[in-house]
Amino acid sequence: FSEQDLFQQKTKLQQAIEKLTSHLDHEHLNFAIPEFKKVVPTTENILLYFENKISKLRLRTTLSFLKLFESENLWSEKYYVTK
């Protein structure tokens, strides 16, 4: 990848994360987000929700990890093994 390609992918990812977080911020997730009508919105499940949405971006790069903070002492993380 060229430096420009990486910059574009990073920008695309940042914009998607900002959109997702603003959509979830200060919402009762069980009512506002269809995916959480039957799934408890734990930090782990919210991370999986983010993973699902990010995977649909079809980035040309692969994620190495996702880390979602609910508070300073509460977070969930997932690491990806690439070959």
Coordinates of all heavy atoms in Angstrom, one line a residue:
F1 N 0.8 -1.2 0.0 CA 0.0 0.0 0.0 C 0.9 1.2 0.0 O 1.9 1.3 0.7 CB -0.9 0.1 1.2 CG -1.9 -1.0 1.3 CD1 -1.8 -2.1 2.2 CD2 -3.0 -1.0 0.4 CE1 -2.8 -3.1 2.3 CE2 -4.0 -2.0 0.5 CZ -3.8 -3.0 1.4
S2 N 0.4 2.2 -0.7 CA 1.1 3.5 -0.7 C 0.7 4.3 0.6 O -0.3 3.9 1.2 CB 0.8 4.3 -1.9 OG -0.6 4.8 -1.8
E3 N 1.4 5.3 0.9 CA 1.1 6.1 2.1 C -0.3 6.7 1.9 O -1.1 6.8 2.9 CB 2.1 7.2 2.3 CG 2.0 7.9 3.6 CD 3.2 8.9 3.8 OE1 4.3 8.5 3.5 OE2 3.0 10.0 4.3
Q4 N -0.6 7.1 0.7 CA -1.9 7.7 0.4 C -3.1 6.7 0.6 O -4.1 7.0 1.2 CB -2.0 8.3 -1.0 CG -3.3 8.9 -1.4 CD -3.6 10.2 -0.7 OE1 -2.7 10.9 -0.2 NE2 -4.8 10.5 -0.6
D5 N -2.8 5.5 0.2 CA -3.8 4.4 0.4 C -4.1 4.2 1.9 O -5.2 4.1 2.3 CB -3.4 3.1 -0.2 CG -3.4 3.1 -1.8 OD1 -4.2 3.9 -2.3 OD2 -2.7 2.3 -2.4
L6 N -3.0 4.1 2.6 CA -3.2 3.9 4.1 C -3.9 5.1 4.7 O -4.8 4.9 5.6 CB -1.8 3.7 4.7 CG -1.1 2.4 4.4 CD1 0.2 2.3 5.0 CD2 -2.0 1.2 5.0
F7 N -3.6 6.3 4.3 CA -4.3 7.4 4.8 C -5.8 7.4 4.5 O -6.6 7.7 5.4 CB -3.7 8.7 4.3 CG -4.3 10.0 4.8 CD1 -4.1 10.5 6.0 CD2 -5.2 10.7 3.9 CE1 -4.8 11.6 6.5 CE2 -5.9 11.8 4.4 CZ -5.6 12.3 5.6
Q8 N -6.1 7.0 3.3 CA -7.5 6.9 2.9 C -8.3 5.9 3.7 O -9.4 6.1 4.1 CB -7.7 6.7 1.4 CG -7.3 7.8 0.6 CD -7.2 7.5 -0.9 OE1 -7.2 6.3 -1.3 NE2 -7.3 8.5 -1.8
Q9 N -7.6 4.7 3.9 CA -8.2 3.6 4.7 C -8.4 4.0 6.1 O -9.5 3.8 6.7 CB -7.4 2.4 4.6 CG -7.3 1.8 3.2 CD -8.7 1.3 2.7 OE1 -9.3 0.5 3.3 NE2 -9.1 1.9 1.6
K10 N -7.4 4.7 6.7 CA -7.5 5.2 8.1 C -8.6 6.2 8.2 O -9.4 6.1 9.2 CB -6.2 5.8 8.5 CG -6.2 6.3 9.9 CD -4.8 6.9 10.3 CE -4.9 7.5 11.7 NZ -3.6 8.1 12.1
T11 N -8.7 7.1 7.3 CA -9.8 8.1 7.3 C -11.2 7.5 7.2 O -12.1 7.8 8.0 CB -9.6 9.1 6.2 OG1 -8.3 9.8 6.3 CG2 -10.7 10.2 6.2
K12 N -11.3 6.5 6.3 CA -12.6 5.8 6.2 C -13.0 5.1 7.5 O -14.1 5.2 7.9 CB -12.4 4.8 5.0 CG -13.7 4.1 4.6 CD -13.4 3.2 3.4 CE -14.7 2.5 3.0 NZ -14.4 1.6 1.8
L13 N -12.0 4.5 8.1 CA -12.3 3.8 9.4 C -12.6 4.7 10.5 O -13.6 4.5 11.2 CB -11.1 2.9 9.8 CG -11.2 2.1 11.0 CD1 -12.3 1.1 10.9 CD2 -9.9 1.4 11.3
Q14 N -11.9 5.8 10.6 CA -12.2 6.8 11.6 C -13.6 7.4 11.4 O -14.3 7.6 12.4 CB -11.2 8.0 11.6 CG -9.8 7.5 12.2 CD -8.8 8.6 12.0 OE1 -8.8 9.4 11.0 NE2 -7.9 8.7 12.9
Q15 N -14.0 7.7 10.2 CA -15.3 8.3 9.9 C -16.4 7.3 10.3 O -17.4 7.6 10.9 CB -15.4 8.7 8.5 CG -14.6 9.9 8.1 CD -14.6 10.2 6.6 OE1 -14.9 9.3 5.8 NE2 -14.2 11.4 6.3
A16 N -16.2 6.0 10.0 CA -17.2 5.0 10.3 C -17.3 4.8 11.9 O -18.4 4.7 12.4 CB -16.7 3.6 9.7
I17 N -16.2 4.8 12.6 CA -16.2 4.7 14.0 C -16.9 5.9 14.6 O -17.7 5.8 15.6 CB -14.8 4.5 14.6 CG1 -14.3 3.1 14.2 CG2 -14.8 4.7 16.1 CD1 -12.8 2.9 14.5
E18 N -16.6 7.1 14.2 CA -17.3 8.3 14.7 C -18.8 8.2 14.4 O -19.6 8.6 15.3 CB -16.7 9.6 14.0 CG -15.3 9.9 14.5 CD -14.7 11.0 13.8 OE1 -15.4 11.8 13.0 OE2 -13.4 11.2 13.9
K19 N -19.2 7.7 13.3 CA -20.6 7.6 12.9 C -21.3 6.6 13.9 O -22.4 6.8 14.4 CB -20.8 7.2 11.5 CG -22.2 7.1 11.0 CD -22.3 6.8 9.6 CE -23.8 6.6 9.1 NZ -23.9 6.2 7.7
L20 N -20.6 5.5 14.1 CA -21.2 4.4 14.9 C -21.3 4.9 16.4 O -22.3 4.7 17.0 CB -20.3 3.2 14.9 CG -20.4 2.3 13.7 CD1 -19.3 1.3 13.7 CD2 -21.8 1.6 13.7
T21 N -20.3 5.6 16.9 CA -20.3 6.0 18.3 C -21.3 7.1 18.5 O -22.1 7.1 19.5 CB -18.9 6.5 18.8 OG1 -18.4 7.5 17.9 CG2 -18.0 5.3 18.9
S22 N -21.5 8.0 17.5 CA -22.5 9.1 17.7 C -23.9 8.5 17.6 O -24.8 9.0 18.3 CB -22.3 10.1 16.6 OG -22.6 9.7 15.3
H23 N -24.0 7.4 16.8 CA -25.3 6.8 16.7 C -25.7 6.1 18.0 O -26.9 6.0 18.4 CB -25.3 5.8 15.5 CG -26.6 5.1 15.2 ND1 -27.7 5.8 14.8 CD2 -27.0 3.8 15.3 CE1 -28.7 4.9 14.6 NE2 -28.3 3.7 15.0
L24 N -24.7 5.5 18.7 CA -25.0 4.8 20.0 C -25.0 5.7 21.2 O -25.6 5.3 22.2 CB -23.9 3.7 20.2 CG -23.8 2.6 19.1 CD1 -22.7 1.7 19.4 CD2 -25.1 1.9 18.9
D25 N -24.4 6.8 21.1 CA -24.1 7.7 22.3 C -25.5 8.1 22.9 O -26.3 8.7 22.2 CB -23.3 8.9 21.9 CG -22.7 9.6 23.1 OD1 -22.5 8.9 24.1 OD2 -22.3 10.8 23.0
H26 N -25.6 7.9 24.2 CA -26.8 8.4 25.0 C -28.1 7.8 24.5 O -29.1 8.4 24.5 CB -26.8 9.9 25.0 CG -25.6 10.5 25.6 ND1 -25.3 10.4 26.9 CD2 -24.6 11.3 25.0 CE1 -24.1 11.1 27.2 NE2 -23.7 11.6 26.0
E27 N -28.0 6.6 24.0 CA -29.2 5.9 23.5 C -29.5 4.7 24.4 O -28.6 4.1 25.0 CB -29.1 5.4 22.1 CG -29.0 6.5 21.1 CD -30.3 7.2 20.8 OE1 -31.3 6.7 21.2 OE2 -30.2 8.3 20.2
H28 N -30.8 4.4 24.5 CA -31.2 3.1 25.2 C -31.0 2.1 24.1 O -31.9 1.9 23.2 CB -32.6 3.2 25.7 CG -32.9 2.0 26.6 ND1 -32.9 0.7 26.1 CD2 -33.2 2.0 27.9 CE1 -33.3 -0.1 27.1 NE2 -33.4 0.6 28.2
L29 N -29.9 1.3 24.1 CA -29.5 0.5 22.9 C -30.6 -0.6 22.6 O -30.8 -0.9 21.5 CB -28.2 -0.1 23.2 CG -27.0 0.8 23.4 CD1 -25.7 0.1 23.6 CD2 -26.9 1.8 22.2
N30 N -31.3 -1.1 23.6 CA -32.3 -2.1 23.4 C -33.4 -1.6 22.5 O -34.1 -2.4 21.8 CB -32.8 -2.7 24.7 CG -31.8 -3.4 25.5 OD1 -31.2 -2.8 26.4 ND2 -31.5 -4.6 25.2
F31 N -33.7 -0.3 22.6 CA -34.8 0.3 21.8 C -34.3 0.9 20.5 O -35.0 0.9 19.5 CB -35.6 1.2 22.7 CG -36.2 0.6 23.9 CD1 -35.8 1.0 25.2 CD2 -37.1 -0.4 23.8 CE1 -36.4 0.4 26.3 CE2 -37.7 -0.9 24.9 CZ -37.3 -0.5 26.2
A32 N -33.1 1.5 20.6 CA -32.7 2.4 19.5 C -32.0 1.6 18.4 O -31.9 2.0 17.2 CB -31.7 3.4 20.0
I33 N -31.4 0.4 18.7 CA -30.6 -0.4 17.8 C -31.2 -1.7 17.6 O -31.3 -2.5 18.5 CB -29.1 -0.5 18.3 CG1 -28.5 0.8 18.7 CG2 -28.3 -1.3 17.3 CD1 -28.4 1.8 17.6
P34 N -31.7 -2.0 16.3 CA -32.4 -3.3 16.1 C -31.5 -4.5 16.5 O -32.1 -5.5 17.0 CB -32.6 -3.3 14.6 CG -32.5 -1.9 14.2 CD -31.6 -1.2 15.1
E35 N -30.2 -4.5 16.4 CA -29.4 -5.7 16.7 C -29.5 -6.0 18.2 O -29.1 -7.1 18.7 CB -27.9 -5.4 16.3 CG -27.7 -5.5 14.8 CD -27.9 -4.1 14.1 OE1 -28.5 -3.2 14.7 OE2 -27.5 -4.0 13.0
F36 N -29.8 -5.0 19.0 CA -29.9 -5.2 20.5 C -31.3 -5.4 21.1 O -31.5 -5.4 22.3 CB -29.1 -4.0 21.2 CG -27.7 -4.0 20.9 CD1 -27.1 -2.9 20.3 CD2 -26.9 -5.1 21.3 CE1 -25.8 -2.9 20.0 CE2 -25.5 -5.0 21.0 CZ -25.0 -4.0 20.3
K37 N -32.2 -5.6 20.2 CA -33.6 -5.9 20.7 C -33.6 -7.2 21.4 O -34.4 -7.4 22.3 CB -34.6 -5.8 19.6 CG -34.8 -4.4 19.1 CD -36.0 -4.2 18.2 CE -36.1 -2.9 17.6 NZ -36.5 -1.8 18.5
K38 N -32.8 -8.2 20.9 CA -32.8 -9.5 21.5 C -31.5 -9.9 22.1 O -31.3 -11.1 22.5 CB -33.3 -10.6 20.5 CG -34.7 -10.4 20.0 CD -35.1 -11.4 19.1 CE -36.6 -11.2 18.7 NZ -37.1 -12.2 17.8
V39 N -30.5 -9.0 22.0 CA -29.1 -9.3 22.5 C -28.8 -8.3 23.6 O -29.0 -7.1 23.4 CB -28.1 -9.2 21.4 CG1 -26.7 -9.4 21.9 CG2 -28.4 -10.2 20.3
V40 N -28.3 -8.7 24.7 CA -27.9 -7.8 25.8 C -26.8 -7.0 25.3 O -25.7 -7.5 24.9 CB -27.6 -8.6 27.1 CG1 -27.1 -7.6 28.2 CG2 -28.8 -9.4 27.5
P41 N -26.8 -5.6 25.4 CA -25.8 -4.8 24.9 C -24.6 -4.6 25.9 O -24.3 -3.6 26.4 CB -26.4 -3.4 24.7 CG -27.6 -3.4 25.6 CD -28.0 -4.8 25.8
T42 N -23.9 -5.8 26.1 CA -22.7 -5.8 27.0 C -21.6 -5.1 26.2 O -21.7 -5.0 24.9 CB -22.3 -7.2 27.3 OG1 -22.0 -7.9 26.1 CG2 -23.4 -7.9 28.1
T43 N -20.6 -4.8 26.8 CA -19.4 -4.2 26.1 C -18.9 -5.2 25.0 O -18.6 -4.8 23.9 CB -18.3 -3.9 27.1 OG1 -18.8 -3.1 28.2 CG2 -17.1 -3.2 26.5
E44 N -18.9 -6.5 25.3 CA -18.5 -7.5 24.4 C -19.4 -7.5 23.1 O -18.9 -7.6 22.0 CB -18.4 -8.9 25.0 CG -17.4 -9.0 26.1 CD -17.8 -8.5 27.5 OE1 -19.0 -8.0 27.6 OE2 -17.0 -8.7 28.4
N45 N -20.7 -7.4 23.4 CA -21.6 -7.5 22.2 C -21.6 -6.2 21.4 O -21.8 -6.2 20.2 CB -23.0 -7.8 22.7 CG -23.2 -9.2 23.1 OD1 -22.5 -10.1 22.6 ND2 -24.1 -9.5 24.0
I46 N -21.3 -5.1 22.1 CA -21.2 -3.8 21.3 C -19.9 -3.9 20.5 O -20.0 -3.4 19.3 CB -21.2 -2.6 22.3 CG1 -22.5 -2.5 23.0 CG2 -20.9 -1.3 21.6 CD1 -22.5 -1.5 24.2
L47 N -18.9 -4.4 21.0 CA -17.7 -4.6 20.2 C -17.9 -5.5 19.0 O -17.5 -5.1 17.9 CB -16.5 -5.2 21.0 CG -15.2 -5.4 20.3 CD1 -14.1 -4.7 21.0 CD2 -14.9 -6.9 20.1
L48 N -18.7 -6.5 19.1 CA -19.0 -7.4 18.0 C -19.9 -6.7 17.0 O -19.8 -6.9 15.8 CB -19.7 -8.7 18.5 CG -18.8 -9.6 19.3 CD1 -19.6 -10.8 19.9 CD2 -17.6 -10.1 18.5
Y49 N -20.8 -5.8 17.5 CA -21.6 -4.9 16.6 C -20.7 -4.0 15.8 O -20.9 -3.9 14.6 CB -22.6 -4.1 17.5 CG -23.3 -3.0 16.8 CD1 -24.5 -3.3 16.1 CD2 -22.9 -1.7 16.9 CE1 -25.2 -2.3 15.4 CE2 -23.6 -0.7 16.3 CZ -24.7 -1.0 15.5 OH -25.4 0.0 14.9
F50 N -19.7 -3.4 16.4 CA -18.8 -2.6 15.7 C -18.0 -3.4 14.7 O -17.8 -3.0 13.6 CB -17.8 -1.9 16.7 CG -18.2 -0.6 17.2 CD1 -19.4 -0.5 17.9 CD2 -17.4 0.5 17.0 CE1 -19.8 0.7 18.4 CE2 -17.8 1.7 17.6 CZ -19.0 1.9 18.3
E51 N -17.6 -4.6 15.1 CA -16.8 -5.5 14.2 C -17.7 -5.8 12.9 O -17.2 -5.7 11.8 CB -16.4 -6.8 14.9 CG -15.7 -7.7 14.0 CD -15.5 -9.1 14.7 OE1 -16.4 -9.5 15.5 OE2 -14.4 -9.6 14.5
N52 N -18.9 -6.1 13.1 CA -19.8 -6.4 12.0 C -19.9 -5.2 11.1 O -19.8 -5.3 9.9 CB -21.2 -6.8 12.6 CG -22.1 -7.2 11.4 OD1 -21.8 -7.8 10.5 ND2 -23.3 -6.7 11.6
K53 N -20.2 -4.0 11.7 CA -20.3 -2.8 10.8 C -19.0 -2.5 10.1 O -19.0 -2.1 8.9 CB -20.8 -1.6 11.7 CG -22.1 -1.8 12.3 CD -23.2 -1.9 11.3 CE -24.6 -2.0 11.9 NZ -25.7 -2.1 11.0
I54 N -17.9 -2.6 10.8 CA -16.6 -2.3 10.2 C -16.3 -3.3 9.0 O -15.8 -2.9 8.0 CB -15.5 -2.2 11.2 CG1 -15.7 -1.0 12.1 CG2 -14.1 -2.2 10.6 CD1 -14.8 -1.0 13.4
S55 N -16.7 -4.5 9.2 CA -16.4 -5.5 8.2 C -17.1 -5.2 6.9 O -16.6 -5.6 5.8 CB -16.7 -6.9 8.7 OG -18.1 -7.1 8.8
K56 N -18.2 -4.5 7.0 CA -19.0 -4.1 5.8 C -18.4 -3.0 5.0 O -18.8 -2.7 3.9 CB -20.4 -3.8 6.2 CG -21.2 -5.0 6.7 CD -22.6 -4.7 7.1 CE -23.3 -6.0 7.6 NZ -24.6 -5.7 8.2
L57 N -17.3 -2.3 5.6 CA -16.7 -1.3 4.9 C -15.8 -1.8 3.8 O -15.4 -1.0 2.9 CB -15.8 -0.5 5.9 CG -16.5 0.3 7.0 CD1 -15.5 0.9 7.9 CD2 -17.4 1.4 6.4
R58 N -15.4 -3.0 3.9 CA -14.5 -3.6 2.9 C -13.2 -2.9 2.7 O -12.8 -2.4 1.6 CB -15.2 -3.8 1.5 CG -16.5 -4.6 1.6 CD -17.0 -5.0 0.3 NE -18.3 -5.6 0.4 CZ -18.4 -7.0 0.3 NH1 -17.4 -7.7 0.1 NH2 -19.6 -7.5 0.4
L59 N -12.6 -2.7 3.9 CA -11.3 -2.0 3.9 C -10.3 -2.8 3.2 O -10.3 -4.1 3.1 CB -10.8 -1.8 5.3 CG -11.7 -0.8 6.2 CD1 -11.3 -0.9 7.6 CD2 -11.7 0.6 5.6
R60 N -9.3 -2.2 2.6 CA -8.3 -2.9 1.8 C -7.2 -3.4 2.8 O -6.2 -4.0 2.4 CB -7.7 -2.0 0.7 CG -8.7 -1.8 -0.4 CD -8.2 -0.9 -1.4 NE -6.8 -1.1 -1.8 CZ -6.0 -0.3 -2.4 NH1 -6.5 0.9 -2.7 NH2 -4.8 -0.5 -2.6
T61 N -7.3 -3.0 4.0 CA -6.3 -3.4 5.1 C -7.1 -4.3 6.1 O -8.3 -4.3 6.1 CB -5.7 -2.2 5.8 OG1 -6.8 -1.4 6.4 CG2 -4.9 -1.3 4.9
T62 N -6.3 -5.0 6.9 CA -7.0 -5.9 7.9 C -6.8 -5.3 9.3 O -5.8 -4.6 9.5 CB -6.4 -7.3 7.9 OG1 -5.0 -7.2 8.1 CG2 -6.6 -8.0 6.5
L63 N -7.8 -5.5 10.1 CA -7.7 -5.0 11.5 C -6.7 -5.9 12.3 O -6.7 -7.1 12.0 CB -9.0 -5.1 12.2 CG -10.1 -4.1 11.6 CD1 -11.4 -4.4 12.4 CD2 -9.7 -2.7 11.8
S64 N -6.0 -5.3 13.1 CA -5.1 -6.1 14.0 C -5.8 -6.3 15.4 O -5.6 -7.3 16.0 CB -3.7 -5.5 14.2 OG -3.8 -4.2 14.7
F65 N -6.6 -5.3 15.8 CA -7.4 -5.5 17.0 C -8.5 -4.4 17.1 O -8.4 -3.4 16.4 CB -6.5 -5.4 18.3 CG -6.0 -4.0 18.5 CD1 -6.6 -3.2 19.4 CD2 -4.8 -3.6 17.9 CE1 -6.2 -1.9 19.6 CE2 -4.3 -2.3 18.1 CZ -5.0 -1.4 19.0
L66 N -9.5 -4.7 17.9 CA -10.5 -3.7 18.2 C -10.5 -3.7 19.8 O -10.4 -4.7 20.4 CB -11.9 -4.2 17.8 CG -12.3 -4.0 16.3 CD1 -13.7 -4.6 16.1 CD2 -12.3 -2.5 16.0
K67 N -10.7 -2.5 20.3 CA -10.7 -2.3 21.7 C -11.8 -1.2 22.0 O -11.7 -0.1 21.4 CB -9.4 -1.8 22.2 CG -9.3 -1.8 23.7 CD -7.8 -1.6 24.1 CE -7.5 -2.0 25.5 NZ -6.1 -1.9 25.9
L68 N -12.8 -1.6 22.8 CA -13.9 -0.7 23.1 C -14.0 -0.4 24.5 O -14.1 -1.3 25.4 CB -15.2 -1.3 22.6 CG -16.5 -0.6 22.9 CD1 -16.6 0.7 22.1 CD2 -17.7 -1.5 22.7
F69 N -13.9 0.9 24.9 CA -13.9 1.3 26.3 C -15.3 1.7 26.6 O -15.9 2.6 25.9 CB -13.0 2.4 26.6 CG -11.5 2.0 26.7 CD1 -10.7 2.0 25.5 CD2 -11.0 1.7 27.9 CE1 -9.4 1.6 25.6 CE2 -9.7 1.3 28.0 CZ -8.9 1.3 26.9
E70 N -15.9 1.2 27.7 CA -17.1 1.7 28.2 C -16.9 2.7 29.3 O -17.6 3.7 29.4 CB -18.0 0.5 28.8 CG -19.3 0.9 29.2 CD -20.2 -0.3 29.5 OE1 -20.0 -1.4 28.9 OE2 -21.2 -0.1 30.2
S71 N -15.8 2.5 30.0 CA -15.3 3.4 31.0 C -13.8 3.1 31.2 O -13.2 2.3 30.6 CB -16.1 3.2 32.4 OG -15.7 2.0 33.0
E72 N -13.2 3.9 32.1 CA -11.7 3.8 32.3 C -11.4 2.3 32.8 O -10.3 1.8 32.4 CB -11.3 4.8 33.4 CG -9.8 4.8 33.6 CD -9.4 5.9 34.6 OE1 -9.8 7.0 34.4 OE2 -8.7 5.6 35.5
N73 N -12.2 1.7 33.5 CA -11.9 0.4 34.1 C -12.7 -0.7 33.4 O -12.7 -1.9 33.9 CB -12.2 0.4 35.6 CG -11.3 1.4 36.3 OD1 -10.1 1.5 36.0 ND2 -11.9 2.1 37.2
L74 N -13.4 -0.5 32.4 CA -14.3 -1.5 31.7 C -14.1 -1.4 30.2 O -14.5 -0.4 29.6 CB -15.8 -1.3 32.1 CG -16.8 -2.3 31.5 CD1 -16.4 -3.7 31.9 CD2 -18.2 -1.9 31.9
W75 N -13.6 -2.5 29.6 CA -13.5 -2.5 28.2 C -13.5 -3.9 27.7 O -13.5 -4.9 28.5 CB -12.2 -1.8 27.8 CG -10.9 -2.6 28.1 CD1 -10.3 -3.5 27.4 CD2 -10.2 -2.4 29.3 NE1 -9.2 -4.0 28.0 CE2 -9.1 -3.3 29.2 CE3 -10.3 -1.7 30.4 CZ2 -8.1 -3.5 30.2 CZ3 -9.3 -1.8 31.4 CH2 -8.3 -2.7 31.3
S76 N -13.6 -4.0 26.4 CA -13.6 -5.3 25.7 C -12.6 -5.2 24.6 O -12.5 -4.1 24.0 CB -15.0 -5.7 25.2 OG -14.9 -7.0 24.6
E77 N -11.9 -6.3 24.3 CA -10.9 -6.2 23.2 C -10.9 -7.5 22.4 O -11.2 -8.6 23.0 CB -9.5 -5.8 23.7 CG -9.0 -6.7 24.7 CD -7.7 -6.1 25.4 OE1 -7.1 -5.2 24.8 OE2 -7.4 -6.5 26.5
K78 N -10.6 -7.4 21.2 CA -10.5 -8.6 20.3 C -9.3 -8.4 19.4 O -9.1 -7.4 18.8 CB -11.7 -8.7 19.5 CG -11.8 -10.0 18.6 CD -13.1 -10.2 18.0 CE -13.1 -11.5 17.1 NZ -14.4 -11.7 16.5
Y79 N -8.4 -9.4 19.4 CA -7.2 -9.4 18.5 C -7.4 -10.4 17.4 O -8.0 -11.4 17.5 CB -6.0 -9.8 19.3 CG -5.6 -8.7 20.3 CD1 -6.2 -8.7 21.6 CD2 -4.7 -7.7 20.0 CE1 -5.9 -7.7 22.5 CE2 -4.4 -6.7 20.9 CZ -5.0 -6.7 22.1 OH -4.8 -5.7 23.0
Y80 N -6.9 -10.0 16.2 CA -7.0 -10.8 15.0 C -5.6 -11.3 14.6 O -4.7 -10.6 14.6 CB -7.6 -9.9 13.9 CG -8.9 -9.3 14.2 CD1 -9.0 -8.1 14.8 CD2 -10.1 -10.0 13.9 CE1 -10.2 -7.5 15.1 CE2 -11.3 -9.5 14.3 CZ -11.3 -8.2 14.9 OH -12.5 -7.7 15.2
V81 N -5.6 -12.6 14.3 CA -4.4 -13.3 13.9 C -4.4 -13.3 12.4 O -5.3 -13.7 11.7 CB -4.3 -14.7 14.4 CG1 -3.0 -15.4 13.9 CG2 -4.3 -14.7 15.9
T82 N -3.3 -12.7 11.8 CA -3.2 -12.7 10.3 C -2.0 -13.6 9.9 O -1.1 -13.8 10.7 CB -3.0 -11.3 9.8 OG1 -1.8 -10.8 10.4 CG2 -4.2 -10.4 10.1
K83 N -2.1 -14.2 8.8 CA -1.1 -15.1 8.3 C -0.2 -14.4 7.3 O -0.6 -13.6 6.6 CB -1.7 -16.4 7.7 CG -2.4 -17.2 8.8 CD -3.0 -18.4 8.1 CE -3.7 -19.2 9.2 NZ -4.3 -20.4 8.7

